[in-house]
Amino acid sequence: MFQTKKSTIFDSELIYTLHIFQMFAYLLVALTALTYGLYYYFKTTYNYWKKKNVAGPEPMFLFGNLFESVMRKKHSGTVFKEAYDQFPNEKVVGVYRMVTPSLLIKDLDIVKQIMIKDFDLFVDRGVEFSKQGLGANLFHADGDTWRVLRNRFTPLFTSGKLKNMSYLMTNAAEDFLNYVDTLTKEQPVQDVYTLVRTFTVTIISACAFGLDIDIHNDKKLLKRVATIDKLIFEPTYFFELDMLYPGVLKKINSSLFPKLISTFFYELARNVILDRKGAPIGRKDFMDLILELRQQGEIKGMRRSDETELQLDFNEDVIAAQAFIFYAAGYETSATTMAFMLYELAKNKDVQEKLLEEIDEVLKKYDGKVTYDCISDLHYMEKVFNETLRLYPIVDTLQRRAMIDYKVPGLDLVIEKGTLCLIPPLAIHRDAKHYPDPEKFDPERFSPENVGNRHPCAHIPFGTGPRNCIGMRFAKVQSRICITRLLSKYRVEPTDRTLKIMQFNPKRVVISPNGGIHLKLVPRA
Ligand code: HEM
Ligand SMILES: *[C@@H]1O[C@H](CO)[C@@H](O)[C@H](O)[C@H]1NC(C)=O
Ligand SMILES: *[C@@H]1O[C@H](CO)[C@@H](O)[C@H](O)[C@H]1NC(C)=O
Ligand SMILES: *[C@@H]1O[C@H](CO)[C@@H](O)[C@H](O)[C@H]1NC(C)=O
């Protein structure tokens, strides 16, 4: 009817219009189907915890509960703390890391169960990636590889070995103090976060790679260290990719770290080993200890699953991967802890006075020498250190992956095999249930009485159980040597650039101060 009234000239136009219309209709149908598909996909995905009757914050399309962290607006530690605080009466909270359901653990008895009592069912951290890209290291490796590595490398971290290594730390502390003297003569206000990092980088280079670096005078080196730091500690979207497709990095043989990093550390390790002709040279650093281990034979262990023997070739790649993780885990964590400690000391004069008194007294006993034995005598320092790590636990969050379907004791809940359990130190440490007036800095929380009245898992800055931080002693010793030497000569004061309320940098993997910590270093009379 419509057509008969039209001349043929318009026919082609009409067909064209119809064609467009048809295309449009197809598109509309396809889009609707896709939307419904996605809608049902996400509805099912985000129904996971509801179906299990586990409470949790409302997830957002694609991002789950991590929108602010994915956008790098908030540190993931803060995001998980908010989810934790939102459900005061729950023992566990169901969250979604993008589309992956994970279980946030609040109840400390369940924390203990997972981390300690049933550790054998929760060995993996769930962050494994390609072994060729530095992945064969203690922190990232899973399962049997981890177990074998941990057994083999634990003897490197005994107090005896550390004591033998501590001369490297005390020497570096003298250089550090000279550097501080020169700097503060010109400008007494310094960013102590950057400052103490020069100390820990020097130490870890000396201990992990046997390198005596002069970071205070070598501008090129300083730049290189900063580049490496960025590549290790600024979060990349590989993290999110792994949340969307768990295990993808291992499957596509990809590393969490760029090629530049793996090449750099492989080369470094190879050169040091070559330099030492493959044998220890009496420096007593980690590289010496590793080479000593290697002389004792290859790394062997049993596979848990079938009791067959697992043999790890003790080659340069495995050595490089461990030296890399000692480096990465060794300097930033301690530096940040020290910076937060100085920040709280500047804000809490009475605590600083008390600590200075203790330092002066102990140093007098040891002829003014900051030695390994001397720092073991600093008991108030231990409390201050622990209280600092309570308020600012550097690693957030701890992770353990269920190896089987696991019935949670005391709850009507089965954690499905493969589910990641998240244990959030920041949230636990600032929970008024465990620490009254939690935002207050008070070292007396670590008096023997107060410690005795708390759940053993209420303070977990180094994690807990068989997979806790292997470098805890090392961290304590290097931090104490640095702080003791610094405070024997300076006191710290806040300035108008010092943050009243600490903010965490969302663009770092670990918890660290946003914009540094600017304090005035005042020479002591
Ligand atoms: C204040 C300083 C430090 C803090 C707060 C810290 C914290 C942690 C935490 C929370 C973990 C995970 C533990 C768990 O999952 O239960 C960890 C693991 C680890 N840390 Fe540290 N750490 C520090 C210093 C160091 C140092 C100095 C080294 C090495 C020299 C080191 C090497 C490691 C390694 C290799 C692991 C993996 C252990 C494993 O999976 O078997 N850390 N650290
Ligand atoms: C520390 O060094 C000394 C001297 O070389 C050595 O005899 C001792 O065995 C070392 N201690 C440890 C625990 O390795
Ligand atoms: C994985 O990548 C490394 C280089 O990054 C390469 O040497 C290795 O052969 C690769 N392995 C597989 C299984 O593709
Ligand atoms: C300090 O914290 C560590 C780690 O939680 C703990 O092992 C140690 O006993 C604590 N020290 C004091 C004095 O509470």
PDB file of all heavy atoms in Angstrom, residues 379-391 429 435 440-452 454 458-461:
ATOM      1  N   HIS A 379      63.695  -2.572  75.802  1.00  0.00           N
ATOM      2  CA  HIS A 379      62.371  -3.171  75.980  1.00  0.00           C
ATOM      3  C   HIS A 379      61.224  -2.205  75.694  1.00  0.00           C
ATOM      4  O   HIS A 379      60.195  -2.597  75.166  1.00  0.00           O
ATOM      5  CB  HIS A 379      62.252  -3.764  77.382  1.00  0.00           C
ATOM      6  CG  HIS A 379      63.305  -4.797  77.640  1.00  0.00           C
ATOM      7  ND1 HIS A 379      63.348  -5.988  76.943  1.00  0.00           N
ATOM      8  CD2 HIS A 379      64.393  -4.791  78.443  1.00  0.00           C
ATOM      9  CE1 HIS A 379      64.408  -6.687  77.333  1.00  0.00           C
ATOM     10  NE2 HIS A 379      65.057  -5.978  78.242  1.00  0.00           N
ATOM     11  N   TYR A 380      61.424  -0.945  76.062  1.00  0.00           N
ATOM     12  CA  TYR A 380      60.371   0.029  75.747  1.00  0.00           C
ATOM     13  C   TYR A 380      60.285   0.216  74.228  1.00  0.00           C
ATOM     14  O   TYR A 380      59.194   0.329  73.669  1.00  0.00           O
ATOM     15  CB  TYR A 380      60.646   1.361  76.455  1.00  0.00           C
ATOM     16  CG  TYR A 380      59.481   2.329  76.348  1.00  0.00           C
ATOM     17  CD1 TYR A 380      58.239   2.013  76.883  1.00  0.00           C
ATOM     18  CD2 TYR A 380      59.625   3.548  75.699  1.00  0.00           C
ATOM     19  CE1 TYR A 380      57.163   2.872  76.758  1.00  0.00           C
ATOM     20  CE2 TYR A 380      58.557   4.430  75.584  1.00  0.00           C
ATOM     21  CZ  TYR A 380      57.331   4.085  76.109  1.00  0.00           C
ATOM     22  OH  TYR A 380      56.268   4.934  75.990  1.00  0.00           O
ATOM     23  N   MET A 381      61.451   0.203  73.584  1.00  0.00           N
ATOM     24  CA  MET A 381      61.480   0.294  72.115  1.00  0.00           C
ATOM     25  C   MET A 381      60.628  -0.807  71.487  1.00  0.00           C
ATOM     26  O   MET A 381      59.916  -0.567  70.508  1.00  0.00           O
ATOM     27  CB  MET A 381      62.928   0.173  71.632  1.00  0.00           C
ATOM     28  CG  MET A 381      63.071   0.040  70.147  1.00  0.00           C
ATOM     29  SD  MET A 381      63.234   1.595  69.308  1.00  0.00           S
ATOM     30  CE  MET A 381      64.978   1.892  69.470  1.00  0.00           C
ATOM     31  N   GLU A 382      60.684  -2.000  72.039  1.00  0.00           N
ATOM     32  CA  GLU A 382      59.887  -3.120  71.511  1.00  0.00           C
ATOM     33  C   GLU A 382      58.397  -2.793  71.553  1.00  0.00           C
ATOM     34  O   GLU A 382      57.659  -3.052  70.621  1.00  0.00           O
ATOM     35  CB  GLU A 382      60.195  -4.394  72.318  1.00  0.00           C
ATOM     36  CG  GLU A 382      59.155  -5.498  72.169  1.00  0.00           C
ATOM     37  CD  GLU A 382      59.637  -6.718  71.410  1.00  0.00           C
ATOM     38  OE1 GLU A 382      60.795  -6.690  70.957  1.00  0.00           O
ATOM     39  OE2 GLU A 382      58.860  -7.675  71.265  1.00  0.00           O
ATOM     40  N   LYS A 383      58.003  -2.173  72.688  1.00  0.00           N
ATOM     41  CA  LYS A 383      56.580  -1.805  72.808  1.00  0.00           C
ATOM     42  C   LYS A 383      56.199  -0.743  71.779  1.00  0.00           C
ATOM     43  O   LYS A 383      55.126  -0.807  71.167  1.00  0.00           O
ATOM     44  CB  LYS A 383      56.298  -1.255  74.208  1.00  0.00           C
ATOM     45  CG  LYS A 383      56.383  -2.287  75.317  1.00  0.00           C
ATOM     46  CD  LYS A 383      56.012  -1.602  76.624  1.00  0.00           C
ATOM     47  CE  LYS A 383      56.219  -2.501  77.820  1.00  0.00           C
ATOM     48  NZ  LYS A 383      56.078  -1.757  79.080  1.00  0.00           N
ATOM     49  N   VAL A 384      57.085   0.242  71.620  1.00  0.00           N
ATOM     50  CA  VAL A 384      56.800   1.323  70.666  1.00  0.00           C
ATOM     51  C   VAL A 384      56.734   0.763  69.241  1.00  0.00           C
ATOM     52  O   VAL A 384      55.848   1.113  68.452  1.00  0.00           O
ATOM     53  CB  VAL A 384      57.881   2.435  70.765  1.00  0.00           C
ATOM     54  CG1 VAL A 384      57.674   3.492  69.683  1.00  0.00           C
ATOM     55  CG2 VAL A 384      57.867   3.066  72.141  1.00  0.00           C
ATOM     56  N   PHE A 385      57.652  -0.136  68.935  1.00  0.00           N
ATOM     57  CA  PHE A 385      57.700  -0.786  67.618  1.00  0.00           C
ATOM     58  C   PHE A 385      56.396  -1.552  67.368  1.00  0.00           C
ATOM     59  O   PHE A 385      55.768  -1.424  66.314  1.00  0.00           O
ATOM     60  CB  PHE A 385      58.909  -1.724  67.599  1.00  0.00           C
ATOM     61  CG  PHE A 385      59.193  -2.373  66.273  1.00  0.00           C
ATOM     62  CD1 PHE A 385      59.754  -1.650  65.224  1.00  0.00           C
ATOM     63  CD2 PHE A 385      58.942  -3.727  66.075  1.00  0.00           C
ATOM     64  CE1 PHE A 385      60.033  -2.256  64.013  1.00  0.00           C
ATOM     65  CE2 PHE A 385      59.225  -4.338  64.866  1.00  0.00           C
ATOM     66  CZ  PHE A 385      59.769  -3.601  63.830  1.00  0.00           C
ATOM     67  N   ASN A 386      55.983  -2.330  68.364  1.00  0.00           N
ATOM     68  CA  ASN A 386      54.757  -3.123  68.202  1.00  0.00           C
ATOM     69  C   ASN A 386      53.517  -2.254  68.071  1.00  0.00           C
ATOM     70  O   ASN A 386      52.624  -2.564  67.282  1.00  0.00           O
ATOM     71  CB  ASN A 386      54.591  -4.078  69.394  1.00  0.00           C
ATOM     72  CG  ASN A 386      55.399  -5.350  69.200  1.00  0.00           C
ATOM     73  OD1 ASN A 386      56.225  -5.428  68.299  1.00  0.00           O
ATOM     74  ND2 ASN A 386      55.178  -6.334  70.044  1.00  0.00           N
ATOM     75  N   GLU A 387      53.479  -1.175  68.847  1.00  0.00           N
ATOM     76  CA  GLU A 387      52.318  -0.289  68.770  1.00  0.00           C
ATOM     77  C   GLU A 387      52.276   0.415  67.409  1.00  0.00           C
ATOM     78  O   GLU A 387      51.202   0.642  66.843  1.00  0.00           O
ATOM     79  CB  GLU A 387      52.348   0.710  69.932  1.00  0.00           C
ATOM     80  CG  GLU A 387      51.234   1.761  69.914  1.00  0.00           C
ATOM     81  CD  GLU A 387      49.824   1.202  70.147  1.00  0.00           C
ATOM     82  OE1 GLU A 387      49.641  -0.022  70.096  1.00  0.00           O
ATOM     83  OE2 GLU A 387      48.890   2.015  70.357  1.00  0.00           O
ATOM     84  N   THR A 388      53.459   0.730  66.870  1.00  0.00           N
ATOM     85  CA  THR A 388      53.510   1.330  65.534  1.00  0.00           C
ATOM     86  C   THR A 388      52.936   0.361  64.503  1.00  0.00           C
ATOM     87  O   THR A 388      52.084   0.736  63.685  1.00  0.00           O
ATOM     88  CB  THR A 388      54.965   1.667  65.149  1.00  0.00           C
ATOM     89  OG1 THR A 388      55.518   2.517  66.153  1.00  0.00           O
ATOM     90  CG2 THR A 388      55.034   2.357  63.801  1.00  0.00           C
ATOM     91  N   LEU A 389      53.361  -0.893  64.566  1.00  0.00           N
ATOM     92  CA  LEU A 389      52.869  -1.876  63.599  1.00  0.00           C
ATOM     93  C   LEU A 389      51.414  -2.260  63.843  1.00  0.00           C
ATOM     94  O   LEU A 389      50.751  -2.800  62.975  1.00  0.00           O
ATOM     95  CB  LEU A 389      53.756  -3.126  63.607  1.00  0.00           C
ATOM     96  CG  LEU A 389      55.032  -2.994  62.791  1.00  0.00           C
ATOM     97  CD1 LEU A 389      55.980  -4.149  63.086  1.00  0.00           C
ATOM     98  CD2 LEU A 389      54.740  -2.958  61.297  1.00  0.00           C
ATOM     99  N   ARG A 390      50.925  -1.982  65.061  1.00  0.00           N
ATOM    100  CA  ARG A 390      49.486  -2.198  65.284  1.00  0.00           C
ATOM    101  C   ARG A 390      48.699  -1.172  64.464  1.00  0.00           C
ATOM    102  O   ARG A 390      47.815  -1.527  63.692  1.00  0.00           O
ATOM    103  CB  ARG A 390      49.122  -2.053  66.767  1.00  0.00           C
ATOM    104  CG  ARG A 390      47.608  -2.238  66.989  1.00  0.00           C
ATOM    105  CD  ARG A 390      47.172  -1.920  68.395  1.00  0.00           C
ATOM    106  NE  ARG A 390      47.221  -0.513  68.717  1.00  0.00           N
ATOM    107  CZ  ARG A 390      46.285   0.385  68.401  1.00  0.00           C
ATOM    108  NH1 ARG A 390      45.203   0.017  67.739  1.00  0.00           N
ATOM    109  NH2 ARG A 390      46.415   1.657  68.735  1.00  0.00           N
ATOM    110  N   LEU A 391      49.063   0.100  64.622  1.00  0.00           N
ATOM    111  CA  LEU A 391      48.329   1.148  63.904  1.00  0.00           C
ATOM    112  C   LEU A 391      48.608   1.134  62.400  1.00  0.00           C
ATOM    113  O   LEU A 391      47.766   1.521  61.607  1.00  0.00           O
ATOM    114  CB  LEU A 391      48.694   2.520  64.472  1.00  0.00           C
ATOM    115  CG  LEU A 391      47.891   2.992  65.680  1.00  0.00           C
ATOM    116  CD1 LEU A 391      48.411   4.351  66.141  1.00  0.00           C
ATOM    117  CD2 LEU A 391      46.405   3.085  65.366  1.00  0.00           C
ATOM    118  N   HIS A 429      43.529  -4.733  63.930  1.00  0.00           N
ATOM    119  CA  HIS A 429      44.330  -3.912  64.849  1.00  0.00           C
ATOM    120  C   HIS A 429      43.616  -2.647  65.306  1.00  0.00           C
ATOM    121  O   HIS A 429      44.009  -2.024  66.274  1.00  0.00           O
ATOM    122  CB  HIS A 429      45.644  -3.493  64.171  1.00  0.00           C
ATOM    123  CG  HIS A 429      46.607  -4.626  63.969  1.00  0.00           C
ATOM    124  ND1 HIS A 429      47.827  -4.456  63.370  1.00  0.00           N
ATOM    125  CD2 HIS A 429      46.527  -5.938  64.286  1.00  0.00           C
ATOM    126  CE1 HIS A 429      48.462  -5.621  63.323  1.00  0.00           C
ATOM    127  NE2 HIS A 429      47.688  -6.539  63.868  1.00  0.00           N
ATOM    128  N   TYR A 435      41.239  -3.528  71.018  1.00  0.00           N
ATOM    129  CA  TYR A 435      42.045  -2.402  71.497  1.00  0.00           C
ATOM    130  C   TYR A 435      41.140  -1.213  71.797  1.00  0.00           C
ATOM    131  O   TYR A 435      40.745  -0.491  70.870  1.00  0.00           O
ATOM    132  CB  TYR A 435      43.085  -1.993  70.437  1.00  0.00           C
ATOM    133  CG  TYR A 435      44.074  -3.077  70.108  1.00  0.00           C
ATOM    134  CD1 TYR A 435      43.865  -3.932  69.023  1.00  0.00           C
ATOM    135  CD2 TYR A 435      45.230  -3.263  70.880  1.00  0.00           C
ATOM    136  CE1 TYR A 435      44.764  -4.939  68.716  1.00  0.00           C
ATOM    137  CE2 TYR A 435      46.137  -4.259  70.580  1.00  0.00           C
ATOM    138  CZ  TYR A 435      45.899  -5.098  69.488  1.00  0.00           C
ATOM    139  OH  TYR A 435      46.792  -6.095  69.179  1.00  0.00           O
ATOM    140  N   LYS A 440      44.217   5.654  69.307  1.00  0.00           N
ATOM    141  CA  LYS A 440      45.227   6.264  70.196  1.00  0.00           C
ATOM    142  C   LYS A 440      46.533   5.461  70.159  1.00  0.00           C
ATOM    143  O   LYS A 440      46.519   4.236  70.194  1.00  0.00           O
ATOM    144  CB  LYS A 440      44.666   6.291  71.621  1.00  0.00           C
ATOM    145  CG  LYS A 440      45.574   6.972  72.604  1.00  0.00           C
ATOM    146  CD  LYS A 440      44.904   7.169  73.959  1.00  0.00           C
ATOM    147  CE  LYS A 440      45.882   7.811  74.903  1.00  0.00           C
ATOM    148  NZ  LYS A 440      46.128   7.021  76.103  1.00  0.00           N
ATOM    149  N   PHE A 441      47.645   6.191  70.098  1.00  0.00           N
ATOM    150  CA  PHE A 441      48.964   5.546  70.128  1.00  0.00           C
ATOM    151  C   PHE A 441      49.384   5.344  71.578  1.00  0.00           C
ATOM    152  O   PHE A 441      49.619   6.305  72.305  1.00  0.00           O
ATOM    153  CB  PHE A 441      49.983   6.433  69.400  1.00  0.00           C
ATOM    154  CG  PHE A 441      51.347   5.809  69.274  1.00  0.00           C
ATOM    155  CD1 PHE A 441      51.623   4.914  68.242  1.00  0.00           C
ATOM    156  CD2 PHE A 441      52.361   6.111  70.170  1.00  0.00           C
ATOM    157  CE1 PHE A 441      52.883   4.338  68.112  1.00  0.00           C
ATOM    158  CE2 PHE A 441      53.627   5.536  70.040  1.00  0.00           C
ATOM    159  CZ  PHE A 441      53.883   4.649  69.018  1.00  0.00           C
ATOM    160  N   ASP A 442      49.447   4.100  72.006  1.00  0.00           N
ATOM    161  CA  ASP A 442      49.772   3.834  73.413  1.00  0.00           C
ATOM    162  C   ASP A 442      50.602   2.551  73.551  1.00  0.00           C
ATOM    163  O   ASP A 442      50.060   1.445  73.543  1.00  0.00           O
ATOM    164  CB  ASP A 442      48.471   3.708  74.214  1.00  0.00           C
ATOM    165  CG  ASP A 442      48.746   3.375  75.679  1.00  0.00           C
ATOM    166  OD1 ASP A 442      49.930   3.443  76.100  1.00  0.00           O
ATOM    167  OD2 ASP A 442      47.788   3.032  76.388  1.00  0.00           O
ATOM    168  N   PRO A 443      51.935   2.704  73.678  1.00  0.00           N
ATOM    169  CA  PRO A 443      52.818   1.520  73.754  1.00  0.00           C
ATOM    170  C   PRO A 443      52.482   0.596  74.917  1.00  0.00           C
ATOM    171  O   PRO A 443      52.808  -0.596  74.870  1.00  0.00           O
ATOM    172  CB  PRO A 443      54.205   2.131  73.940  1.00  0.00           C
ATOM    173  CG  PRO A 443      54.094   3.522  73.416  1.00  0.00           C
ATOM    174  CD  PRO A 443      52.699   3.969  73.693  1.00  0.00           C
ATOM    175  N   GLU A 444      51.799   1.130  75.966  1.00  0.00           N
ATOM    176  CA  GLU A 444      51.484   0.275  77.118  1.00  0.00           C
ATOM    177  C   GLU A 444      50.481  -0.829  76.777  1.00  0.00           C
ATOM    178  O   GLU A 444      50.231  -1.715  77.590  1.00  0.00           O
ATOM    179  CB  GLU A 444      50.994   1.115  78.302  1.00  0.00           C
ATOM    180  CG  GLU A 444      52.094   1.907  78.986  1.00  0.00           C
ATOM    181  CD  GLU A 444      53.394   1.087  79.196  1.00  0.00           C
ATOM    182  OE1 GLU A 444      53.311  -0.066  79.670  1.00  0.00           O
ATOM    183  OE2 GLU A 444      54.477   1.601  78.849  1.00  0.00           O
ATOM    184  N   ARG A 445      49.925  -0.773  75.605  1.00  0.00           N
ATOM    185  CA  ARG A 445      49.092  -1.898  75.176  1.00  0.00           C
ATOM    186  C   ARG A 445      49.930  -3.175  75.112  1.00  0.00           C
ATOM    187  O   ARG A 445      49.394  -4.275  75.051  1.00  0.00           O
ATOM    188  CB  ARG A 445      48.531  -1.629  73.770  1.00  0.00           C
ATOM    189  CG  ARG A 445      47.605  -0.443  73.682  1.00  0.00           C
ATOM    190  CD  ARG A 445      47.072  -0.383  72.268  1.00  0.00           C
ATOM    191  NE  ARG A 445      46.538   0.922  71.906  1.00  0.00           N
ATOM    192  CZ  ARG A 445      45.291   1.303  72.108  1.00  0.00           C
ATOM    193  NH1 ARG A 445      44.449   0.486  72.704  1.00  0.00           N
ATOM    194  NH2 ARG A 445      44.889   2.503  71.727  1.00  0.00           N
ATOM    195  N   PHE A 446      51.258  -2.996  75.087  1.00  0.00           N
ATOM    196  CA  PHE A 446      52.142  -4.163  74.989  1.00  0.00           C
ATOM    197  C   PHE A 446      52.849  -4.467  76.303  1.00  0.00           C
ATOM    198  O   PHE A 446      53.908  -5.083  76.317  1.00  0.00           O
ATOM    199  CB  PHE A 446      53.101  -4.002  73.804  1.00  0.00           C
ATOM    200  CG  PHE A 446      52.360  -4.106  72.508  1.00  0.00           C
ATOM    201  CD1 PHE A 446      51.820  -2.967  71.898  1.00  0.00           C
ATOM    202  CD2 PHE A 446      52.094  -5.345  71.941  1.00  0.00           C
ATOM    203  CE1 PHE A 446      51.064  -3.068  70.736  1.00  0.00           C
ATOM    204  CE2 PHE A 446      51.339  -5.459  70.783  1.00  0.00           C
ATOM    205  CZ  PHE A 446      50.828  -4.320  70.176  1.00  0.00           C
ATOM    206  N   SER A 447      52.250  -4.019  77.404  1.00  0.00           N
ATOM    207  CA  SER A 447      52.736  -4.478  78.708  1.00  0.00           C
ATOM    208  C   SER A 447      52.336  -5.947  78.817  1.00  0.00           C
ATOM    209  O   SER A 447      51.359  -6.372  78.191  1.00  0.00           O
ATOM    210  CB  SER A 447      52.085  -3.663  79.820  1.00  0.00           C
ATOM    211  OG  SER A 447      50.711  -3.985  79.903  1.00  0.00           O
ATOM    212  N   PRO A 448      53.104  -6.740  79.613  1.00  0.00           N
ATOM    213  CA  PRO A 448      52.793  -8.182  79.714  1.00  0.00           C
ATOM    214  C   PRO A 448      51.338  -8.447  80.111  1.00  0.00           C
ATOM    215  O   PRO A 448      50.708  -9.355  79.545  1.00  0.00           O
ATOM    216  CB  PRO A 448      53.751  -8.670  80.805  1.00  0.00           C
ATOM    217  CG  PRO A 448      54.872  -7.689  80.805  1.00  0.00           C
ATOM    218  CD  PRO A 448      54.294  -6.372  80.372  1.00  0.00           C
ATOM    219  N   GLU A 449      50.778  -7.628  81.021  1.00  0.00           N
ATOM    220  CA  GLU A 449      49.379  -7.860  81.435  1.00  0.00           C
ATOM    221  C   GLU A 449      48.449  -7.692  80.239  1.00  0.00           C
ATOM    222  O   GLU A 449      47.588  -8.551  79.983  1.00  0.00           O
ATOM    223  CB  GLU A 449      48.915  -6.870  82.515  1.00  0.00           C
ATOM    224  CG  GLU A 449      49.766  -6.744  83.741  1.00  0.00           C
ATOM    225  CD  GLU A 449      50.907  -5.768  83.497  1.00  0.00           C
ATOM    226  OE1 GLU A 449      51.970  -6.236  83.017  1.00  0.00           O
ATOM    227  OE2 GLU A 449      50.761  -4.564  83.765  1.00  0.00           O
ATOM    228  N   ASN A 450      48.612  -6.569  79.538  1.00  0.00           N
ATOM    229  CA  ASN A 450      47.706  -6.307  78.420  1.00  0.00           C
ATOM    230  C   ASN A 450      47.837  -7.342  77.308  1.00  0.00           C
ATOM    231  O   ASN A 450      46.845  -7.746  76.707  1.00  0.00           O
ATOM    232  CB  ASN A 450      47.947  -4.900  77.863  1.00  0.00           C
ATOM    233  CG  ASN A 450      47.391  -3.826  78.785  1.00  0.00           C
ATOM    234  OD1 ASN A 450      46.505  -4.103  79.590  1.00  0.00           O
ATOM    235  ND2 ASN A 450      47.925  -2.619  78.702  1.00  0.00           N
ATOM    236  N   VAL A 451      49.069  -7.759  77.047  1.00  0.00           N
ATOM    237  CA  VAL A 451      49.266  -8.793  76.022  1.00  0.00           C
ATOM    238  C   VAL A 451      48.573 -10.087  76.451  1.00  0.00           C
ATOM    239  O   VAL A 451      47.888 -10.739  75.658  1.00  0.00           O
ATOM    240  CB  VAL A 451      50.773  -9.046  75.768  1.00  0.00           C
ATOM    241  CG1 VAL A 451      50.972 -10.272  74.883  1.00  0.00           C
ATOM    242  CG2 VAL A 451      51.424  -7.825  75.123  1.00  0.00           C
ATOM    243  N   GLY A 452      48.717 -10.405  77.737  1.00  0.00           N
ATOM    244  CA  GLY A 452      48.127 -11.634  78.263  1.00  0.00           C
ATOM    245  C   GLY A 452      46.612 -11.658  78.171  1.00  0.00           C
ATOM    246  O   GLY A 452      46.003 -12.723  78.062  1.00  0.00           O
ATOM    247  N   ARG A 454      44.854 -10.464  75.752  1.00  0.00           N
ATOM    248  CA  ARG A 454      44.370 -10.370  74.373  1.00  0.00           C
ATOM    249  C   ARG A 454      44.456 -11.710  73.664  1.00  0.00           C
ATOM    250  O   ARG A 454      45.264 -12.555  74.009  1.00  0.00           O
ATOM    251  CB  ARG A 454      45.219  -9.352  73.597  1.00  0.00           C
ATOM    252  CG  ARG A 454      44.549  -8.027  73.382  1.00  0.00           C
ATOM    253  CD  ARG A 454      45.269  -7.197  72.343  1.00  0.00           C
ATOM    254  NE  ARG A 454      46.700  -7.169  72.460  1.00  0.00           N
ATOM    255  CZ  ARG A 454      47.401  -6.236  73.099  1.00  0.00           C
ATOM    256  NH1 ARG A 454      46.792  -5.241  73.696  1.00  0.00           N
ATOM    257  NH2 ARG A 454      48.714  -6.300  73.143  1.00  0.00           N
ATOM    258  N   ALA A 458      45.419 -11.159  67.809  1.00  0.00           N
ATOM    259  CA  ALA A 458      44.983  -9.766  67.716  1.00  0.00           C
ATOM    260  C   ALA A 458      46.110  -8.846  67.231  1.00  0.00           C
ATOM    261  O   ALA A 458      45.883  -7.693  66.904  1.00  0.00           O
ATOM    262  CB  ALA A 458      44.462  -9.284  69.073  1.00  0.00           C
ATOM    263  N   HIS A 459      47.346  -9.352  67.195  1.00  0.00           N
ATOM    264  CA  HIS A 459      48.478  -8.554  66.702  1.00  0.00           C
ATOM    265  C   HIS A 459      49.233  -9.391  65.672  1.00  0.00           C
ATOM    266  O   HIS A 459      50.008 -10.280  66.031  1.00  0.00           O
ATOM    267  CB  HIS A 459      49.394  -8.180  67.882  1.00  0.00           C
ATOM    268  CG  HIS A 459      50.459  -7.185  67.507  1.00  0.00           C
ATOM    269  ND1 HIS A 459      51.793  -7.511  67.446  1.00  0.00           N
ATOM    270  CD2 HIS A 459      50.372  -5.874  67.176  1.00  0.00           C
ATOM    271  CE1 HIS A 459      52.487  -6.435  67.090  1.00  0.00           C
ATOM    272  NE2 HIS A 459      51.661  -5.430  66.923  1.00  0.00           N
ATOM    273  N   ILE A 460      48.985  -9.099  64.377  1.00  0.00           N
ATOM    274  CA  ILE A 460      49.545  -9.958  63.330  1.00  0.00           C
ATOM    275  C   ILE A 460      50.211  -9.161  62.195  1.00  0.00           C
ATOM    276  O   ILE A 460      49.980  -9.424  61.026  1.00  0.00           O
ATOM    277  CB  ILE A 460      48.449 -10.888  62.733  1.00  0.00           C
ATOM    278  CG1 ILE A 460      47.135 -10.109  62.491  1.00  0.00           C
ATOM    279  CG2 ILE A 460      48.197 -12.076  63.642  1.00  0.00           C
ATOM    280  CD1 ILE A 460      46.080 -10.901  61.738  1.00  0.00           C
ATOM    281  N   PRO A 461      51.072  -8.174  62.563  1.00  0.00           N
ATOM    282  CA  PRO A 461      51.719  -7.408  61.488  1.00  0.00           C
ATOM    283  C   PRO A 461      52.667  -8.260  60.647  1.00  0.00           C
ATOM    284  O   PRO A 461      52.952  -7.914  59.498  1.00  0.00           O
ATOM    285  CB  PRO A 461      52.496  -6.326  62.233  1.00  0.00           C
ATOM    286  CG  PRO A 461      52.726  -6.881  63.593  1.00  0.00           C
ATOM    287  CD  PRO A 461      51.529  -7.732  63.896  1.00  0.00           C
TER     288      PRO A 461
END
